[in-house]
Amino acid sequence: MLHIQIKDMPARAPKSADELAQCLKDAALQSQKIAIVGTNSKRLMAGPVSPDDAVISTAGIRSVLQYERDDLTISVGAGMLLKDLQALLRDHRQMIALDPPFSTQATIGGVIASNSSGPMRRAYGTARDLVIGMTFATVEGKLVKTGGMVVKNVAGLDMGKLMIGSFGTLAVITSVNLRVHSLPQQTRTFLFTFADLESAIEKRNEILKSVLQPMAIDLITPAAAARLGARGYVLAVRAGGSRAVLNRYASALPNCEQLVDREETDFWHSIREFTPEFLNRQRGGIVLRISAKLSELGRLLRLVSGPSIARAGSGVTYVYMSSWQGVPAIWNAARERGWGAVVEFAPDELRTSKELWLEASPDRWTGTFAIMRKVKQMFDPQNLLNRSRLYGRI
């Protein structure tokens, strides 16, 4: 979530969900425009940041509320850092199966509110697949609970799912109930390098048609691979399981480089954190997220000359651009081909003047936004919360 200071006004950091709800109510009664903050990591993400009168932080709500190790569930405050939660679970050989960018800075609330994910989405899905319940606060000062602490319990989850990816425009997530996964016994990464895109796509197709079920399968273009010390197109396949399982992967995936232990951890850290490192280097940088059919990946990557990293098993590609000049060509291709296209990160001046979201299925997206606007009107009729942060639409 974003962090801003308005008129040198320090953020209020409530220590409980009840206190945060009261802060929201107090600000709303004065018709103050409210920014919800966490750490700074999503400051350049999604819609433009509008001027606000009150800043309320979730950072003080960071405790573990309930942990059912054997039931594979945990409930935590929204201000808890993802890295701290992962460290706690690691002691029990468990994890939250999310590996988004900004992983050392992001709060759980920020990850869920932005629906951020990483390479592991191939095996485990996104936040929508891992959240089993939550509590959120409204500007009326009410706390609303949805879902539960049982993985199979779906009662009331629809409202909670609307909060996932809403960037705090509807209400403020104060706690999240999450599904927990066991850590793989071991992991191993298999790296294939190709001089041409067609060969990389062919290998990707071969793997997807096989019996293999990797944790991650990413395709890295030459411009991105160069930042990782590699050449050409790199297809990275990560597998998890017992030694016997990994040896079967090795038999099925010969003639490639294999990474284990620290070398493997460092490689996937570089992949996961490619976005923040790019934005640090390119202060005016733009990150596009393109969603396309797996069969369209080659067509998409042939349009791109700069760095790109594709979640090659799920159809999501991140394109990194130093200026807006190359965006229209990709945007037009996305419109023609029915791809979903999102300006995920960009400088403020671009986010206030450019279209940020192109939906692959316009009718479906129009319907979704109609629902979101109704919820916005119901929960925040004065339009006070994180205005325009949902890609300029809400």
Side-chain angles (χ1 to χ4, degrees):
M1 287 186 161
L2 65 110
H3 176 76
I4 54 178
Q5 298 293 330
I6 303 299
K7 301 176 183 178
D8 297 322
M9 180 189 304
R12 300 180 65 179
K15 300 299 182 183
S16 70
D18 288 322
E19 187 182 345
L20 187 144
Q22 187 62 49
C23 288
L24 283 177
K25 182 178 180 180
D26 293 344
L29 286 174
Q30 300 177 59
S31 297
Q32 292 182 325
K33 298 174 180 63
I34 306 165
I36 306 303
V37 310
T39 58
N40 287 325
S41 62
K42 308 297 188 300
R43 171 62 178 78
L44 294 176
M45 190 177 185
V49 176
S50 302
D52 294 285
D53 306 310
V55 184
I56 300 175
S57 171
T58 61
I61 310 175
R62 60 177 64 186
S63 61
V64 175
L65 304 176
Q66 187 177 349
Y67 178 28
E68 302 293 344
R69 184 182 62 182
D70 296 336
D71 290 337
L72 299 177
T73 59
I74 194 167
S75 178
V76 299
M80 188 174 194
L81 294 177
L82 175 62
K83 70 170 184 177
D84 292 342
L85 175 56
Q86 298 287 36
L88 181 154
L89 293 173
R90 197 178 302 118
D91 290 340
H92 301 281
R93 295 291 304 166
Q94 294 178 335
M95 66 175 178
I96 301 299
L98 286 171
D99 52 349
F102 304 96
S103 59
T104 61
Q105 307 164 43
T107 63
I108 290 296
V111 171
I112 302 306
S114 61
N115 196 24
S116 295
S117 62
M120 285 200 301
R121 69 177 291 164
R122 157 68 185 171
Y124 299 100
T126 66
R128 295 184 186 278
D129 302 291
L130 301 177
V131 173
I132 59 174
M134 69 171 62
T135 300
F136 56 85
T138 72
V139 292
E140 292 182 336
K142 296 179 180 179
L143 290 174
V144 180
K145 295 184 178 182
T146 71
M149 280 292 285
V150 180
V151 171
K152 293 183 179 180
N153 182 0
V154 298
L157 264 182
D158 287 347
M159 189 61 72
K161 285 186 176 180
L162 281 177
M163 300 298 157
I164 301 172
S166 67
F167 286 89
T169 56
L170 305 177
V172 181
I173 298 171
T174 59
S175 65
V176 184
N177 306 341
L178 293 156
R179 180 180 180 182
V180 172
H181 284 83
S182 298
L183 284 171
Q185 291 183 34
Q186 301 177 41
T187 61
R188 193 182 305 176
T189 293
F190 304 85
L191 296 183
F192 295 88
T193 303
F194 303 93
D196 61 278
L197 176 60
E198 288 70 24
S199 297
I201 295 291
E202 183 179 348
K203 188 65 178 179
R204 188 278 310 261
N205 292 343
E206 176 188 321
I207 294 171
L208 292 181
K209 291 176 182 177
S210 74
V211 298
L212 302 179
Q213 294 295 325
M215 294 171 59
I217 177 167
D218 277 16
L219 178 55
I220 306 155
T221 63
R227 299 295 310 181
L228 307 176
R231 292 185 177 181
Y233 290 90
V234 176
L235 186 67
V237 181
R238 192 178 198 189
S242 66
R243 182 179 295 275
V245 168
L246 297 183
N247 286 341
R248 285 199 291 273
Y249 269 88
S251 297
L253 300 174
N255 305 318
C256 67
E257 181 183 0
Q258 296 186 28
L259 305 180
V260 295
D261 301 329
R262 182 60 181 271
E263 191 175 19
E264 182 191 31
T265 300
D266 289 348
F267 174 84
W268 286 105
H269 177 271
S270 296
I271 296 296
R272 186 182 66 235
E273 301 301 327
F274 197 93
T275 289
E277 291 177 6
F278 170 79
L279 294 173
N280 281 336
R281 296 193 312 270
Q282 298 278 352
R283 294 296 179 177
I286 299 161
V287 182
L288 303 183
R289 186 180 80 238
I290 312 295
S291 301
K293 295 179 180 178
L294 295 179
S295 59
E296 295 274 83
L297 180 58
R299 183 186 298 271
L300 167 58
L301 292 182
R302 278 188 283 273
L303 294 173
V304 177
S305 58
S308 295
I309 296 179
R311 308 274 104 89
S314 59
V316 177
T317 298
Y318 295 88
V319 179
Y320 300 87
M321 315 190 80
S322 58
S323 72
W324 190 262
Q325 184 176 355
V327 174
I330 296 177
W331 208 259
N332 290 336
R335 185 176 283 109
E336 292 172 2
R337 303 296 303 180
W339 303 336
V342 177
V343 179
E344 187 152 89
F345 291 87
D348 288 334
E349 59 271 19
L350 293 177
R351 291 185 294 156
T352 56
S353 61
K354 304 295 185 181
E355 183 182 15
L356 303 178
W357 190 289
L358 178 68
E359 179 61 19
S361 303
D363 292 340
R364 177 177 177 271
W365 184 240
T366 300
T368 300
F369 257 117
I371 294 172
M372 295 288 276
R373 289 192 181 100
K374 288 180 180 178
V375 176
K376 178 71 168 178
Q377 181 64 29
M378 178 172 62
F379 283 160
D380 182 19
Q382 297 184 75
N383 190 27
L384 302 177
L385 277 177
N386 276 9
R387 296 171 306 131
S388 298
R389 289 290 283 145
L390 189 56
Y391 296 97
R393 304 289 186 96
I394 292 179

